[in-house]
Amino acid sequence: MAFPVVHLAGPVSERLRRGHLWLFSNELAQGFQDVAPGTMVEVHDAGDGFFGVGTCNPHSLIAVRLFARERAEIDAAFFHRKLTTALKLREAVYSNETAYRLIFSEGDGLPGLIVDRYNDFFVLLPLTAGTELLLPQAQDALRDIFPDAKLLIRRDSSARVLEGLAVEELPSSSEGPVEIEQDGMRFLCDLWQGQKTGFFYDQRTNRQTLAEFHPQGDVLDLFCYTGGFGFYALNAGASRVVAVDSSEAALSLASEGARRNGFSARWRGVKADVFEWLKTCREKFDWVILDPPSLIQKRSKIPKGERGYRDLNARAMQRVRHGGFFATSSCSGLLPRPRWMELLADAARKAKRQAVVIREGTQAPDHPILPAMPETNYLKFAILRMD
Ligand code: SAH
């Protein structure tokens, strides 16, 4: 099938040559504005030579997302190939498991699409106009590879606004939460009403890292969601976990999850706004875990978000006993790791504490990073010893 053609305005940049998959609107020659949002286009260079194929959305700052650098049909067979490659990676790193992120957008060669697997359930997030139109191909390929698959599409991500797409209400369901297993623990996931797709698979390696340090004594799990880090701490021998989150629904799944893992006697959920709760908490802990939602959602929020990270980390550090440990993260793609480290240093100074980093981490291998695209490397994690 012939795709409409759009042209690069100037020479191919080093960034694109290296393998970056986004063409910004100011990199394209006039004409792309007439393309209907989501259309698959052929990109030509300024000399009219073939450059690649991708989905185009003239309303988005990211005007084209490349799917291939060679001439290719983007059909069910193409999705089948990408899904198979993605599945092979998951089978290599998580053999015989059935709960993981199967497709991480650009990282798996399908820009704008997220697919999280929860046993037989597959939650699809079409985040762009392009992937909205490609859903039938994605669904056909998924059903072909997983004949028992139950597919669920969620359109409640605020990222859709940037593409001019409607942000829909959460889907309702008569089904209860889905139980998954990770590293010998059970987690309850609400795929319909839960946050994102129901579970944060990206922190798995960092939860494992926490367990490797065998947290002992009292642990504070801030922004605990459905149990995540706290369960790993308990499994590794912690005496007790105080877990704070503002979501009643998340805490109720966490509490039932704690029961199913035999943790109930050592796990206590607290429903509170972490920012407020930290202002009045006087107790100290041997380990404090801090995993806030992104505090920097867009470029214009960078200064405010940076102050937010610094102050939140400072308050959390003050809750760590002398000689204790602090496990902290940031999922803001707009906050580069070196800058985040500066904020941690500022936080320690503000908290009047000495801190040394003893381990750093990033996202789990089911969130593969494209070396040419720093945007695909968003999760930062560090363990600090606090004196
Ligand atoms: N640590 C979790 C994931 C955290 S996701 C894990 O390992 O799975 C971020 C969490 O922050 C969500 O559960 C959300 O309900 C919670 N949250 C967002 N704003 C909050 C606030 N102001 N106070 C407390 N919790 C908040």
Side-chain angles (χ1 to χ4, degrees), residues 39-268:
T39 307
M40 190 62 68
V41 296
E42 210 170 278
V43 182
H44 287 194
D45 61 27
D48 209 24
F50 176 86
F51 179 74
V53 291
T55 56
C56 180
N57 184 351
H59 302 323
S60 168
L61 199 60
I62 304 166
V64 172
R65 290 170 198 254
L66 292 168
F67 276 61
R69 287 295 306 275
E70 66 287 332
R71 289 180 197 275
E73 287 298 328
I74 312 297
D75 49 12
F78 178 89
F79 273 84
H80 199 287
R81 287 197 299 278
K82 293 288 178 191
L83 285 167
T84 306
T85 305
L87 180 59
K88 265 199 195 133
L89 172 62
R90 278 61 179 179
E91 283 176 347
V93 293
Y94 300 137
S95 57
N96 297 318
E97 297 190 25
T98 55
Y100 43 70
R101 174 153 293 186
L102 175 60
I103 294 294
F104 176 50
S105 200
E106 281 80 4
D108 286 297
L110 293 173
L113 182 68
I114 302 282
V115 181
D116 280 352
R117 179 177 186 190
Y118 297 87
N119 308 330
D120 284 345
F121 285 96
F122 292 79
V123 185
L124 287 78
L125 307 186
L127 299 175
T128 60
T131 49
E132 266 296 340
L133 297 179
L134 289 165
L135 274 180
Q137 289 87 321
Q139 289 170 294
D140 282 354
L142 268 170
R143 287 203 189 92
D144 203 43
I145 298 173
F146 304 99
D148 298 327
K150 293 180 237 177
L151 308 186
L152 167 69
I153 298 164
R154 282 184 59 160
R155 296 187 169 90
D156 54 298
S157 167
S158 57
R160 290 168 57 90
V161 173
L162 302 171
E163 288 275 319
L165 295 170
V167 177
E168 293 181 2
E169 299 279 297
L170 293 170
S172 61
S173 163
S174 48
E175 306 229 18
V178 173
E179 184 185 289
I180 57 161
E181 194 185 310
Q182 300 244 288
D183 302 312
M185 277 156 281
R186 299 152 86 177
F187 292 92
L188 289 169
C189 312
D190 182 343
L191 317 190
W192 294 268
Q193 310 273 316
Q195 296 180 35
K196 306 279 161 129
T197 67
F199 193 69
F200 293 90
Y201 286 127
D202 56 354
Q203 287 283 24
R204 178 166 179 185
T205 314
N206 300 327
R207 295 184 192 116
Q208 292 169 336
T209 301
L210 177 89
E212 275 171 34
F213 283 83
H214 295 286
Q216 302 292 306
D218 304 319
V219 176
L220 176 61
D221 183 6
L222 298 169
F223 304 97
C224 67
Y225 192 51
T226 50
F229 283 98
F231 287 8
Y232 277 70
L234 289 171
N235 204 42
S239 316
R240 68 177 187 114
V241 167
V242 175
V244 188
D245 203 283
S246 57
S247 160
E248 181 85 59
L251 282 170
S252 122
L253 287 181
S255 169
E256 172 59 14
R259 194 188 65 75
R260 291 194 194 182
N261 285 300
F263 295 150
S264 292
R266 292 185 290 149
W267 186 91
R268 182 165 71 86

